Amino acid sequence: MIDPRKVAVVGCGFVGSACAFTLMQHGLFSEMVLIDADRRKAEGEAMDIAHGLLFAKPMNIYAGNYDDAADAALVIVTAGANQKPGETRLDLVKKNSAIMRSVAGQLRERQYEGMLLVVANPVDILTRVAQSCAGLPEARVFGSGTVLDSARLRYLLGEHLQVDSRGVHAFIVGEHGDSEIAVWSSAHVSGVPLHEFCEMRGYFDHENAMREIGESVKNSAYKIIERKGATYYGIAMAVQRICEAVMRDEKSVLPVSTALHGEFGIDGVTLSVPAILGARGVEKVVPVSLDENELTRLRYSADMLRGIYEGL
């Protein structure tokens, strides 16, 4: 029996701990179990967060094991090796895919029936691994994808245009990584096409601006890792937003990592595209408009991810 107010976080490194802390603050769940190969680390994180519950909402937070996660509405997997300076997300694929297979196998043994949110990198490949191993419908296994990348894009566009980024609507699609694509063709600011809004704000060099902002988004994680060793606050907030959409059945459109079956001319690959997200997981992929170049690049990204997955 699934407990609709319970969440499990697998992996208590920087990202997992930040996710646990952020979820506690927002009060989406009343029970949270932290699971880590280092049980004492999970215990320490649970204690540290629990000691601040006086200033938040009541929650039962504790260190546990996969038996404790068996009735969770949502299991969030952050477990995996960290990305090191100079290392791409795809460099992590072999060691982290083995970890993901282990986690998915543990849940399958317990006949887990909730939803699985994959956050560990490379997230698109690991989501595909989880979809094949967890024994759950594909719609209930999805990754954090390019939710954070899209937020970075909107933030940078807001800074560039000196406008509230919440009024900027633009997506990053494809791999959460080096082959990701900024969808400029359908981007807009409160209904005004992006190029028109740029000119309204005095910017006319669209090609250079798009290239610079796109590169800044793609390289954001590398820049942060160079400076502080890891990224975790941004992704924790993105995870919280995904959980909110699911647990409140919001039907929000978010660019999560999900399996495609013919959409955009892509079949049998898991990557990030806008999708309607609610209480049943991914309800439908949204056919966002792409120009010919963007569609070609998306298919290239899909082919690359397919090759890596098949190479496992």
Side-chain angles (χ1 to χ4, degrees), residues 151 154-155 157-159 163-170 188-190:
R154 293 173 63 185
Y155 168 78
L157 282 170
E159 292 287 293
V163 66
D164 185 350
S165 61
R166 290 173 296 182
V168 178
H169 300 274
H188 63 90
V189 181
S190 296

Side-chain angles (χ1 to χ4, degrees), residues 93-109:
V93 67
K94 289 186 179 179
K95 46 191 170 183
N96 284 355
S97 62
I99 294 170
M100 181 56 65
R101 279 193 292 269
S102 174
V103 172
Q106 293 280 359
L107 294 172
R108 185 168 188 156
E109 283 179 17

Side-chain angles (χ1 to χ4, degrees), residues 81-276:
N82 291 327
Q83 188 177 351
K84 298 175 182 176
E87 190 175 39
T88 70
R89 295 178 182 94
L90 292 177
D91 288 333
L92 303 176
V93 67
K94 289 186 179 179
K95 46 191 170 183
N96 284 355
S97 62
I99 294 170
M100 181 56 65
R101 279 193 292 269
S102 174
V103 172
Q106 293 280 359
L107 294 172
R108 185 168 188 156
E109 283 179 17
R110 289 158 178 81
Q111 299 181 316
Y112 178 65
E113 295 181 347
M115 282 180 281
L116 189 57
L117 169 57
V118 178
V119 182
N121 278 317
V123 66
D124 304 291
I125 297 292
L126 297 187
T127 302
R128 190 66 178 167
V129 170
Q131 287 168 337
S132 68
C133 297
L136 291 168
E138 279 184 342
R140 298 216 301 265
V141 182
F142 45 90
S144 54
T146 54
V147 174
L148 176 56
D149 308 74
S150 297
R152 287 167 171 159
L153 176 62
R154 293 173 63 185
Y155 168 78
L156 290 173
L157 282 170
E159 292 287 293
H160 178 66
L161 299 171
Q162 299 178 54
V163 66
D164 185 350
S165 61
R166 290 173 296 182
V168 178
H169 300 274
F171 290 113
I172 297 285
V173 298
E175 176 204 359
H176 170 55
D178 294 339
S179 69
E180 65 186 29
I181 302 102
V183 182
W184 299 110
S185 62
S186 58
H188 63 90
V189 181
S190 296
V192 179
L194 183 62
H195 286 179
E196 288 183 26
F197 200 94
C198 286
E199 292 175 6
M200 187 178 79
R201 300 296 275 170
Y203 297 106
F204 295 89
D205 190 4
H206 303 315
E207 294 299 323
N208 280 333
M210 289 191 303
R211 184 167 52 252
E212 289 176 9
I213 291 173
E215 286 297 307
S216 293
V217 172
K218 185 173 70 176
N219 295 325
S220 290
Y222 299 135
K223 291 178 181 178
I224 295 169
I225 290 167
E226 284 173 5
R227 287 161 173 78
K228 57 176 278 188
T231 69
Y232 39 91
Y233 294 131
I235 187 59
M237 288 185 278
V239 166
Q240 183 276 324
R241 179 69 191 94
I242 294 168
C243 292
E244 187 176 51
V246 171
M247 302 315 298
R248 293 179 176 167
D249 196 20
E250 290 182 352
K251 319 291 189 189
S252 298
V253 177
L254 295 170
V256 292
S257 187
T258 188
L260 298 188
H261 297 287
E263 299 91 346
F264 305 103
I266 298 168
D267 187 47
V269 177
T270 295
L271 47 63
S272 301
V273 291
I276 300 171

